[in-house]
Amino acid sequence: MKKILIALTAIVLLIVAGLVYVYVNLDNIIKATIEEAGARVTLADVTVDNVKIETTQNTASIGGLVVGNPDGFTTDYAFSLGNISIRLDGSTLTSDTIRVIEVIVDAPSVTYELGQGSSNIATIQRNVESFVQRVSGPTGAADDGSGTKVVIDNLYVRNGQVSVSAAMLQGKKLSSSLPEIHLKDIGKAEGGATPAKVAEEVITALNAAVFKSVSSLNVDGLLQGVGDLSKGVTGLIGGAAVGTGGAVKNGAGALEGAVKGLFGATPTK
């Protein structure tokens, strides 16, 4: 009996030690989880500067979350998400579906890079969609019904900036502010969404916001003085026809159409 009690005491102490370790290192554990899972979903490097969890207040903050670029793109990153603050419904933390009351992404920076017949943002979006399809199947529901899901009441993206880059622009960039994004009731209709599905919805909204910003930019003004752009524009994207004359104005119009085409919109004539 004494030996059994000693063994049970040792097991309890191990469990307590494990819980203490998780609690003390919770921020680092979550940071590593975000980086590993983010890279798996986006097929791009994901790094986080810091994570701070306030368990007594049911809040969290994530600083310096950066999503790099997929293979074939050369700019420093696709998304730098500034400061992220999260407020949770503490009563749901032990349930299968966690309710997130509010997420605020403040001062993100998006670099939209043209190349590879597409863009880095569109490529990441396709990677996320492909991952979701692999793990969820064609119906969008997890095959085994397992895993924690999330419902987000409100998600805001504020004070963002977007820049457009392409090798043919010779170092010049198009820059604009990013329209505010407000998504409501993410995952609510289906009783909770997987983190990957949430990522898909957020990136789709970001892609649409970036398109809105880029479509209003002064492409003609940017390209003044760059020179003959016809060869650079040709082949940038299928369907972006450019004459061999290569005048700056024509090149600008073709690039604008290419940009819109990359977002899935119909270029204006």
Side-chain angles (χ1 to χ4, degrees):
M1 179 63 70
K2 185 177 180 179
K3 290 181 178 179
I4 293 174
L5 290 174
I6 291 173
L8 289 174
T9 302
I11 292 171
V12 170
L13 289 175
L14 285 172
I15 293 172
V16 171
L19 291 174
V20 170
Y21 174 82
V22 170
Y23 183 82
V24 171
N25 295 278
L26 185 59
D27 296 353
N28 289 330
I29 291 171
I30 292 176
K31 176 180 181 295
T33 300
I34 292 172
E35 291 177 337
E36 189 277 331
R40 188 154 41 92
V41 172
T42 63
L43 299 184
D45 289 336
V46 176
T47 58
V48 178
D49 283 346
N50 58 81
V51 174
K52 186 175 182 181
I53 308 297
E54 296 288 353
T55 55
T56 59
Q57 300 178 26
N58 297 318
T59 62
S61 62
I62 303 171
L65 173 57
V66 176
V67 179
N69 276 313
D71 290 341
F73 297 93
T74 60
T75 48
D76 292 339
Y77 58 80
F79 302 107
S80 177
L81 295 182
N83 298 309
I84 304 173
S85 60
I86 303 165
R87 187 158 55 96
L88 304 167
D89 179 351
S91 66
T92 66
L93 292 178
T94 57
S95 66
D96 293 335
T97 301
I98 296 174
R99 177 180 171 232
V100 180
I101 298 171
E102 184 179 71
V103 178
I104 299 175
V105 181
D106 186 47
S109 176
V110 180
T111 303
Y112 184 87
E113 182 181 351
L114 301 168
Q116 305 294 316
S118 183
S119 73
N120 57 342
I121 307 300
T123 300
I124 288 174
Q125 183 175 350
R126 286 194 298 271
N127 292 342
V128 173
E129 290 171 349
S130 176
F131 179 87
V132 170
Q133 191 171 34
R134 288 199 306 274
V135 301
S136 301
T139 63
D143 293 335
D144 57 3
S146 63
T148 300
K149 296 184 180 181
V150 180
V151 171
I152 302 178
D153 292 352
N154 291 283
L155 185 147
Y156 300 92
V157 179
R158 297 170 172 166
N159 306 314
Q161 294 289 321
V162 57
S163 298
V164 177
S165 175
M168 58 175 289
L169 297 179
Q170 302 176 10
K172 293 188 176 185
K173 286 186 177 181
L174 296 156
S175 296
S176 178
S177 60
L178 192 68
E180 179 170 314
I181 298 170
H182 179 200
L183 302 179
K184 298 179 64 177
D185 298 329
I186 299 174
K188 185 175 181 179
E190 56 267 45
T194 63
K197 190 68 176 178
V198 171
E200 179 187 21
E201 186 165 344
V202 173
I203 289 177
T204 298
L206 275 171
N207 198 8
V210 170
F211 166 64
K212 185 176 180 180
S213 293
V214 171
S215 63
S216 66
L217 290 171
N218 180 13
V219 180
D220 288 344
L222 174 78
L223 298 179
Q224 292 299 325
V226 171
D228 185 354
L229 297 174
S230 61
K231 294 181 180 179
V233 175
T234 302
L236 180 64
I237 181 173
V242 182
T244 56
V248 170
K249 183 175 181 180
N250 292 337
L255 178 59
E256 183 176 16
V259 169
K260 292 181 179 181
L262 287 172
F263 281 98
T266 303
T268 55
K269 298 296 182 181

